[in-house]
Amino acid sequence: MTDTICALATAPGGALGIIRISGPQSLEILSHIFTRNLTQAQPNTIHYGHIKDGSEIIDEVLVSIFRAPHSYTGEDSAEISCHGSRYILNKVLELLIQNGCRMAQPGEYTQRAFLNGKMDLSQAEAVADLIASGNKATHQIAMSQLRGNFSSELSRLREQLLKLTSLLELELDFSDHEDLEFADRSELLDIANKINKRITYLTQSFETGQALKNGIPVAIVGKTNVGKSTLLNKLLRDDRAIVSSVHGTTRDTVEDVIDIQGVTFRFIDTAGIRQTTDEVEQIGISRTYAAIDKARIVLWLIDVEPTAEEIKDMLERSKGKPLIIIQNKIDIQSPVDSSIFSLSSPLVPSNNPQFSILQISAKQGTNIDRLEKTIFESANIPELSEQDIIVTSARQYHSLLSAQENLSRVLSSLESGLSGDLVSEDLRLVLDDLANITGQNRILADEVLRNIFTHFCIGK
């Protein structure tokens, strides 16, 4: 924290590049290589000049000045906006290092912001998510967390938990007065149940968060040569998978992602399902079944009417997941009688599986827009805004699971009428779990911080 650090904050090779400097000697070091002395520069000002190496002019630049604590890191900082030439960028960094800077480690700017109290740990993780956001949904989730909505939610929960703990511990202080009861057990139980309900919601949101972050998996399955690869290529608007009239062309899963209405979907083209003695093809078919298990949505492609056994097998394998039954090749095939899939059909299990039926031509692109709409609706993604809280970090998720487990003991103890000191100890554990998420009022191991910030890019 006493070092002054520098790093390139933009990708090299563009028209412009930005180099960031942060630390106690930022302005003094920068003044050694800039045509003006910036040590007395006012905060939030921009200065025009040249970066120089002795008498040699390296580039014409603009320098932005930020003074502690009103900067991203909470330290004296500066940003040099120069031309994006690799030579210029490397030369400026070289001059900064020669005059006392060192290269920043991955995530060190955001780590300093956290250590200087500019943001909590959940907000720091949101910075990485914001940089990595590839669609509207993940952008909104990251912005919500960066603006402190998750932190505020946790703060409210901690306040309620602290109230419970205080009442119980006050009772313990006056335990020799049996007639005094500061904490009504039914009221405490009601508050604890409300907290538990909210923590359960946050924990369950992790599944949605991971799906949005990594792409909602959609398996495209069916017999050989029904048009699975053609459909994948049509959805991707690219010739991603090999298309051939030869049966068994696809022998392994082929994956790619597309954006539908601001949400990323990860499509998995699978090997065709059929009886075969080919050992390699059998491995591909086993991977098809594995893809069905991992998928959140299953697209079952058919071109002729399936047998009763095939319908039963696919409905069972989809295990209640949204199943979209797609008759392909309607440009050359007669429509399949959709009544065989009706809920009154003896072929359909009585547990009312979620499925839709569509007719398309993957080759001609017929009804592909309807298919995309059906896929989006089947994902059942809640409408998100920048106020919604969705957990995307595995670290935060595990802390919430621990909080949930400790809180369940609190509820059990309150219901059983156990001693307040036992309840109070479990409440403190819940408080510690929530504090782990934000890093507030907790001493975090260096290893924890390294694990979080080493995944950042160097300029952040």
Side-chain angles (χ1 to χ4, degrees), residues 128-166:
D129 286 345
L130 187 63
I131 293 170
S133 61
N135 56 54
K136 183 179 179 181
T138 51
H139 173 266
Q140 287 178 324
I141 292 170
M143 284 301 298
S144 172
Q145 193 154 323
L146 185 59
R147 289 179 174 178
N149 291 335
F150 187 27
S151 304
S152 298
E153 174 77 5
L154 294 176
S155 179
R156 285 191 291 271
L157 292 174
R158 292 190 72 211
E159 283 178 12
Q160 294 175 57
L161 287 164
L162 283 169
K163 179 183 177 183
L164 292 181
T165 307
S166 301

Side-chain angles (χ1 to χ4, degrees), residues 114 117-123 148 150-156 158-159 162 395 430-444 449:
F114 163 69
K118 299 295 291 184
M119 59 179 69
D120 65 35
L121 207 51
S122 68
Q123 289 173 301
F150 187 27
S151 304
S152 298
E153 174 77 5
L154 294 176
S155 179
R156 285 191 291 271
R158 292 190 72 211
E159 283 178 12
L162 283 169
R395 186 191 69 84
V430 180
L431 284 164
D432 284 347
D433 291 327
L434 298 185
N436 278 335
I437 296 174
T438 59
Q440 293 175 318
N441 304 323
R442 294 283 290 164
I443 299 173
L444 297 169
L449 294 180

